[in-house]
């Protein structure tokens, strides 16, 4: 288990300080948002820590579970960001607004790094969502490859209601999963999507009773680990590239990946 993900740096911040836990059990890593008393609200420090977890992920890990402790998966960005005082040591939206050009872009890009790695082809990420997943919480669930929801899950893209846009990598997976019209409707009304609807429109692979969430994630992880590691990575790479390719290009990509597999297995 890694308490501190990055060692030796002056910026070293323990995961506990940012309300995260990180555990590795064989090929499964579990990231837990562990600030239940604040409904696992997230800050820029949360996202930096997530990015460092991704950078330092032990090589043997094949499945990454992202879960939240307590009644909510995550209530989104820490609302102190909207106050003049902000989050101690991390500033506020008002201080971010003073950043210019590249510095502004870099700050948001850094936050996005906390989410982007969850799509890496060599891992499969699973969000285990109970209760509220609001704003950054919904986007964190969308950053994962798969979502298992407890039947009390409530997903809400709150940003437009607060005058902001969803900018933590969530807009593309949302459109990919539910289509443009439904994504527009969900985001621009900032309404809450319940678990049953989420499953119906493609936002969840499975909905279970809250008490069954942990076991359902375990079962899915075990099924994912039953396949060949290199074949799983190559297949995920193929699937991820499919929507950007023509059928002919995809066929060529299949041939190339298969050649590498057959050479590795039988060559
Ligand atoms: N930031 C900081 N603290 C939060 C929080 C947040 N996002 N959400 C909840 N909390 C705190 C509450 O202030 C409360 O703290 P105290 O006990 O010290 O008063 C504690 O967590 C429990 O909160 P509730 O009593 O409200 O819990 P609940 O279970 O009744 O309700 C909830 C849960 C519906 C998620 C509700 O807390 C809520 O609406 N939270 C705010 C959601 C929100 O607007 N998030 C921002 C979305 S936008 C975004 O993430 C991205 C962006 O802007 C760029």
């Amino acid at each position: 288990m890694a308490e501190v993900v990055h060692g030796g740096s002056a910026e070293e911040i323990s995961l506990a300080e940012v309300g995260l836990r990180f555990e590795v059990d064989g090929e499964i890593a579990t990231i837990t948002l562990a600030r239940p008393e604040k409904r696992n609200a997230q800050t820029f420090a949360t996202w930096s820590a997530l990015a460092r977890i991704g950078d330092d992920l032990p090589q043997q890990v094949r499945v990454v579970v992202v879960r939240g402790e307590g009644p909510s998966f995550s209530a989104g960005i820490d609302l102190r960001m909207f106050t003049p005082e902000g989050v101690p040591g991390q500033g506020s939206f008002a201080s971010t607004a003073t950043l210019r050009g590249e510095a502004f872009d870099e700050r948001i890009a850094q936050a996005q790094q906390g989410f982007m790695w969850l799509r890496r082809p060599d891992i499969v990420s699973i969000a285990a969502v109970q209760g509220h997943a609001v704003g950054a919480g919904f986007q964190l669930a969308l950053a994962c490859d798969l979502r298992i929801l407890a039947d009390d899950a409530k997903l809400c893209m709150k940003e437009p209601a607060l005058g902001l846009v969803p900018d933590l990598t969530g807009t593309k997976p949302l459109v990919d999963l539910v289509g443009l019209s439904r994504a527009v409707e969900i985001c621009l009304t900032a309404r809450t999507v319940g678990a049953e609807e989420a499953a119906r429109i493609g936002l969840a692979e499975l909905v279970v009773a809250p008490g069954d969430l942990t076991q359902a994630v375990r079962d899915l992880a075990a099924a994912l680990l039953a396949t060949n590691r290199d074949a799983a990575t190559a297949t995920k790479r193929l699937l991820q590239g499919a929507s950007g390719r023509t059928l002919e290009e995809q066929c060529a990509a299949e041939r190339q990946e298969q050649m590498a597999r057959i050479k590795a297995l039988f060559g």
Side-chain angles (χ1 to χ4, degrees), residues 68-86:
E69 206 163 270
S72 298
F73 176 72
S74 172
I77 197 166
D78 194 312
L79 292 176
R80 287 176 299 175
M81 283 297 290
F82 290 86
T83 66
E85 302 75 31

Side-chain angles (χ1 to χ4, degrees), residues 2-68:
E3 253 302 296
V4 174
V5 173
H6 234 51
S9 140
E11 293 167 39
E12 183 179 280
I13 301 175
S14 79
L15 293 183
E17 274 177 85
V18 299
L20 286 177
R21 276 204 317 275
F22 177 61
E23 288 140 323
V24 176
D25 179 7
E27 294 176 305
I28 304 174
T30 302
I31 298 169
T32 302
L33 303 168
R35 205 155 66 105
E37 71 287 358
K38 296 294 176 191
R39 301 297 181 266
N40 301 321
Q42 304 171 36
T43 65
F44 277 89
T46 314
W47 304 325
S48 299
L50 285 174
R52 294 199 307 272
I53 289 174
D55 288 346
D56 295 350
L57 197 69
Q59 242 208 317
Q60 81 267 18
V61 170
R62 292 183 58 191
V63 172
V64 176
V65 177
V66 181
R67 59 181 293 276

Side-chain angles (χ1 to χ4, degrees), residues 73-74 129-135 137-139 141-142 147-159 174-175 177-179 181-207:
F73 176 72
S74 172
V129 180
Q130 81 287 359
H132 289 94
V134 184
F138 188 8
Q139 292 193 72
L142 285 167
R147 282 150 293 284
I148 299 190
L149 268 49
D151 60 21
D152 67 349
K154 296 173 191 67
L155 314 176
C156 171
M157 203 65 94
K158 184 85 171 285
E159 288 84 342
L174 182 64
V175 171
L177 289 168
V178 304
S181 306
R182 181 61 71 197
V184 167
E185 184 265 323
I186 288 171
C187 292
L188 274 60
T189 62
R191 74 174 171 91
T192 296
V193 178
E196 181 275 324
E197 181 188 359
R200 185 161 36 82
I201 64 177
L203 283 173
E205 277 52 60
L206 186 65
V207 175

